Every structure is written in C-alpha cells, then in structure tokens.
Amino acid sequence: MMSELYVGGAAGDLIVGAIRRFADRPAIADERQRWTYRELGETIGRLITFFDQLGLKKGDAVSVLSSNRVESWAIICAAAVMGLRYTPLHPLAAEDDHAFIIDDAEIDALVVESGKFSERGLAIQARAPKLKHLLSLGPIAGARDILAELPGCASAPLQPASCAEDLCWLAYTGGTTGKSKGVMLSHRALVTMTVTLYADWDWPQDIRYLAATPISHAAGVTVFPVMYRGGFTRLLPGFDMEAYCRTIQDEKITCAFLVPTIIYGLIDAHEVRARYDLSSLDMIVYGAAPMSPDRLLEGMKIFGRVFVQLYGQTEAPQCITTLRKADHDPANIKRLGSCGRPSPLVQVKLLNAELEEVDVGEPGEICVRGPLVMNGYWKRPDATEETLKGGWLHTGDVAVRDEDGYLYIVDRTKDMIISGGFNIYPREVEDALMAHGAVASACVIGVPDEKWGEAVKAFVVLKSGANVDAATLQAHVKDKRGAPWSPKSIDFVDAVPVTGLGKLDRKALRAPYWEGRSRGVS
C-alpha cells in the first residue's frame, strides 16, 4: 500500500479545497435545486457513506447514466474524493455502446436516472454479469434508490484518498474511427487539465457557467476549474434554444461551453435571440470539432470577442492548445481557422511518420507529451504502444504550424480522402463550402469512384430561406481551393449527423457507400 506521504495532488484535493474555501457561495444548480459549496460538500459526504455501506472501496469502479443534474455531479466528485474509478456514459449513446463499456470497464456500481433511463439501466444490468450494484436516482424496480436513502446517511468527512498517479477516470473514446477504447486518466492528468484551464482561459471575473451539453464529457470536466475559481455552474438537461437563451438572461450567465454545431444554430436563431438579453456572456468556449472561420466571424459580430477555442481529446483532455480571445481578431480571418498555440505544461510537435518534426507550413501529426497525457488504453497494450510510440501521444490529427506557432488542423488522418493522387482533407472542403453565404453547415466524405479511387462528396445544410444549386457551390469550392477539392456530388440535407460529442459523424455517412468493400485508400 502506498504510504500516506504520497497521498495528495489529486482531483479530490481540488474538490475538497474548493468546498472549504467557498463554503457559502452558490456552487451548482439544475432545474430542481440549488446548492452552495457547503451543501454540495454535505451531499458528497453522504454519498461517500452510502458507497462505503455498499462495500465500495478505493480502486472500485462506478459509472453514471443520467441527464445533467446536481446529484450526478456530486457522484462524480464523491468518486474522486473516495478514490473510486469513474467511467462516464454518454446519455445519447446506444444500448450496445453502454453495455460494452460497463462490461469492458468492469464497473462495480452503475447509477441510472429513473424515468428516461430506467429501461436502459435494467437492460444494461441484464447484459453485464460482473455488475454488482444497480443504483438509481429516483425509483426503478430492482435498483437501490440513492435519493431515497441519502437523507438517512451521515455526511462523512471529506478526506481525499488518492495520489496523483491513481486512476481517476476511465473515459471511453467516441468510437468515430473504430471500437471505443477505455482511456486511463490519472488524477495527475485531470489536475493538470484543471490548473491549465484555470490559468490559460480568459475567465470572467464573476464566473457563472452554463452547461447544456452532457456533463459526462467536455462540459463536465470544465466544471473542475469553475469550482477551483469559486464559480457557479448552472446545468440544463439538454439543449433547447429557447430555454438556453432564457437561462442566460435569468441567471446572468457569463461563460458557456458549446460545440460548433450548436453555435451555428444560435447564430441563425435570430428571432429567439431577439427575445432575450444575452449581453452578460463574456466567454464562449467552443471545441470538440472544428469551427468554420466564416461562421465564427458571424458569431463575433453578434456576441463580440468573447470566444475561446479549446483543442484536446480524451487521451489529453481539453487543453492541448488554446486560441484565446485576443487571437480572435476579425481582421485576421486566417487565424480564426487555427486551434491556437500549445497550452502550458504540455509539449506539442508536428511529426512525420519517422517521428521527425516537420517545417513551418508542412503538414504533420499533432503529437503531445507531458503530465496531461493518459496512462494508456485499458486492457489494450497494442493500441497503447501504437498511440504512445516514441514517447509521444499520437493524436491522429494532422496540422500545419505558422511562423508564430499557431496550429491549423487539417483533419483526422483516417478521414483523409485520396482522389486522383491528391490527399484531400474534408475540413478544407467544409470550410470552403461554409464560406459561401448560403451554407449553414457541411460534412464531406470520400466515396468509391472507379476513375478517381475516391470522389469528394458533400452533404450541405442551407441557411433558412437560402437557395443555391450544387453547380454554384462546386464552382465556389473550385475557386477557393482548386479543382481536386471541388465535390463531385452534393446532397442537400436538413441536418448533418453528429456524434454524441458534437463531432461530425463522417463514419455514419460513409457506411452505406463503403459497405462490403475493403477501404484501402485511407
């Protein structure tokens, strides 16, 4: 057993420190209740008592399937303080994905919100023979209701039990490029992330943070630096344009995290925005997917220079690079296409296949090392060795660097289209399409083609009331990028598919075109 001398420097220490430091400040609220930091701490203490009575101990594993609610966040915090290993479940994922994760992660206790997720929880239990405890937030037949039992539990003292290298989260990748993998994130990685975000983002003086996307993922880990700064978090159970804008006005929200597709919707929702005062917004953080520079410029005209971009991935969460407010210069639209410069505490290089750093302006894979990086993939030594080869985390993202050190992501290596001998990255075509005034969003894939090997195909969503034909957009891209980048075909659709994490789901679009084929071109 590790000596008490080495306990500390963990996520639990940050949580407990915030609770003690900011006891009477408002901490977190949802649609039903509001807690101060002291009340959050009391609930965490009761959860620790409840989990202890179940027999859960340091190193055991807990998972939560829920919408955004204060109890879910309290469970995440209790796990970190106790030294339990927490695995998030995305509420929009399919049953097969949930069942796979619960089994693969060897979860001991699953907490499920009653109502919307009752049937899913019971279905997962039936498919997960190693699961010891099915717990619930609200009544579910066959599950122990935490909300009913918690009032009878004494609030345990908050005594963090972990050291920096203990596993804190086992978070699964989105699976857009293959089978989902469990990413082992130590307390050290999450503390590094928290301190980096604390220092590197342009936080408002009065932090009132709104999370409408699932706190199981990026919107949730952002709550750690909010707590560290003594800020207030307001949770919404999902994104509804009217409710979102009303909440900004009523709660005087100063900062928010959004994925680009939602920002596009907010930009285009002229009538809804006009009904509410959104002037309190001082920082809008965006990430999880690239954002069109032209659409970002539209957002800046509406909200001002309030945008901050994060770039990270599950294996190095939230802060590989940052594009700060000052970098969002409307006079420099090229820089709006950047994901920023490397964050403190990480080393970032663009490497070629021989692990040599490429020159300025040359494409290379973004590779990262430092205390932010994962320990490896859970039970996947081969994948770990491949992804961490040479001592670097290989992100799978291709970028170029300019003379000032800003990185510009070209695309995922696996999404690259090889057409007529040209290497074409979908992001390049998507940005060109969205530079047209009629286009709201776009997604580009490669499809089989006898002549070209792969042909560029685009799926386009037009802005409300806009009208443009495929030939016009093809000519527009040809003028912007060149003939090889111009889509050979364009489908006009009502919406482009996105994953539960808000990323363009190119895999879903590709599937019908590549079914039954061996895709040897990328």
Side-chain angles (χ1 to χ4, degrees):
M1 175 179 279
M2 182 164 286
S3 166
E4 290 292 324
L5 178 65
Y6 296 101
V7 173
D13 295 278
L14 296 182
I15 293 164
V16 173
I19 289 166
R20 290 173 178 163
R21 185 177 300 162
F22 308 114
D24 295 318
R25 286 195 196 179
I28 192 167
D30 58 20
E31 303 289 81
R32 297 168 298 277
Q33 54 191 325
R34 309 173 83 86
W35 290 341
T36 63
Y37 277 85
R38 190 188 311 278
E39 290 166 333
L40 172 60
E42 289 171 353
T43 303
I44 292 170
R46 290 192 178 94
L47 284 164
I48 290 172
T49 297
F50 177 76
F51 289 148
D52 186 60
Q53 291 172 353
L54 283 181
L56 295 178
K57 59 188 182 304
K58 181 179 177 180
D60 287 344
V62 64
S63 190
V64 179
L65 177 57
S66 169
S67 60
N68 288 353
R69 53 187 295 164
V70 293
E71 297 91 351
S72 299
W73 183 249
I75 291 167
I76 293 169
C77 291
V81 174
M82 282 186 76
L84 302 179
R85 169 167 50 82
Y86 165 69
T87 290
L89 292 177
H90 197 292
L92 299 182
E95 180 186 316
D96 284 349
D97 294 331
H98 287 156
F100 166 77
I101 290 170
I102 294 299
D103 179 67
D104 189 69
E106 302 174 15
I107 298 299
D108 297 291
L110 169 63
V111 182
V112 177
E113 182 180 22
S114 66
K116 180 179 179 180
F117 298 106
S118 296
E119 289 186 11
R120 177 64 59 86
L122 294 170
I124 294 170
Q125 182 186 40
R127 297 175 61 175
K130 292 180 281 190
L131 182 67
K132 298 184 181 75
H133 308 283
L134 180 63
L135 312 173
S136 60
L137 299 172
I140 297 177
R144 288 185 65 171
D145 183 357
I146 294 177
L147 300 185
E149 297 197 34
L150 221 53
C153 296
S155 186
L158 302 186
Q159 297 175 337
S162 298
C163 69
E165 291 306 316
D166 289 337
L167 282 190
C168 186
W169 283 35
L170 180 61
Y172 279 72
T173 59
T176 56
T177 57
K179 194 68 172 175
S180 184
K181 299 184 288 293
V183 176
M184 296 187 288
L185 293 174
S186 65
H187 285 262
R188 174 250 308 146
L190 286 168
V191 169
T192 299
M193 178 206 72
T194 300
V195 172
T196 300
L197 299 188
Y198 180 98
D200 206 35
W201 286 5
D202 300 292
W203 294 95
Q205 186 171 0
D206 179 20
I207 297 177
R208 300 183 64 80
Y209 170 63
L210 180 59
T213 54
I215 60 170
S216 54
H217 289 74
V221 291
T222 303
V223 180
F224 285 124
V226 171
M227 288 182 65
Y228 196 40
R229 280 182 171 259
F232 167 73
T233 296
R234 177 64 159 88
L235 304 178
L236 285 174
F239 186 86
D240 172 82
M241 189 67 69
E242 194 85 31
Y244 192 83
C245 292
R246 184 188 310 116
T247 302
I248 293 174
Q249 174 182 274
D250 293 350
E251 298 277 11
K252 295 182 172 56
I253 295 298
T254 59
C255 51
F257 172 86
L258 289 171
V259 296
T261 49
I262 292 180
I263 296 177
Y264 298 160
L266 194 59
I267 291 169
D268 294 335
H270 307 285
E271 294 182 4
V272 178
R273 283 192 288 102
R275 290 196 287 272
Y276 298 98
D277 180 4
L278 309 183
S279 62
S280 60
L281 277 175
D282 187 68
M283 182 178 77
I284 299 176
V285 180
Y286 64 99
M291 189 167 174
S292 158
D294 290 272
R295 301 242 64 195
L296 181 55
L297 196 59
E298 290 182 59
M300 291 167 62
K301 289 177 181 176
I302 296 167
F303 298 107
R305 290 177 70 168
V306 301
F307 289 94
V308 173
Q309 181 185 170
L310 66 86
Y311 164 66
Q313 56 180 206
T314 310
E315 294 87 342
Q318 297 288 81
C319 51
I320 294 173
T321 66
T322 306
L323 192 71
R324 304 185 67 174
K325 286 182 184 178
D327 301 319
H328 287 75
D329 182 357
N332 189 349
I333 192 168
K334 178 180 183 293
R335 185 151 291 166
L336 298 184
S338 168
C339 64
R341 292 190 277 201
S343 301
L345 305 182
V346 294
Q347 186 176 14
V348 179
K349 289 188 177 182
L350 304 185
L351 303 181
N352 61 22
E354 288 73 41
L355 302 186
E356 299 166 335
E357 188 169 15
V358 300
D359 293 333
V360 168
E362 293 296 316
E365 184 179 14
I366 299 176
C367 294
V368 186
R369 60 187 178 190
L372 181 70
V373 172
M374 68 170 182
N375 289 8
Y377 294 116
W378 178 255
K379 300 188 295 189
R380 300 283 296 273
D382 292 346
T384 298
E385 184 178 358
E386 175 67 18
T387 302
L388 297 179
K389 63 186 175 185
W392 292 89
L393 169 68
H394 295 256
T395 66
D397 291 322
V398 177
V400 296
R401 184 180 74 255
D402 69 15
E403 296 84 354
D404 297 315
Y406 289 86
L407 302 186
Y408 298 77
I409 296 176
V410 184
D411 230 311
R412 295 286 299 172
T413 54
K414 293 182 174 66
D415 287 331
M416 187 176 71
I417 302 164
I418 303 177
S419 183
F422 285 90
N423 292 345
I424 297 170
Y425 293 100
R427 168 80 189 275
E428 299 169 323
V429 183
E430 289 158 0
D431 280 354
L433 285 165
M434 285 190 281
H436 192 284
V439 177
S441 59
C443 188
V444 168
I445 62 171
V447 297
D449 186 273
E450 289 187 9
K451 179 179 180 181
W452 303 105
E454 284 186 280
V456 177
K457 183 175 183 63
F459 298 82
V460 169
V461 179
L462 296 179
K463 294 179 181 177
S464 178
N467 185 29
V468 66
D469 59 21
T472 300
L473 290 180
Q474 287 167 324
H476 171 77
V477 175
K478 182 179 179 180
D479 180 60
K480 281 273 184 181
R481 293 292 319 188
W485 284 262
S486 181
K488 297 293 189 291
S489 61
I490 297 177
D491 289 359
F492 293 95
V493 295
D494 293 329
V496 291
V498 294
T499 69
L501 303 182
K503 300 177 186 288
L504 292 175
D505 196 349
R506 297 192 184 100
K507 188 171 78 168
L509 287 174
R510 277 196 298 257
Y513 297 95
W514 292 93
E515 188 175 359
R517 293 174 178 261
S518 176
R519 189 168 191 242
V521 290
S522 68

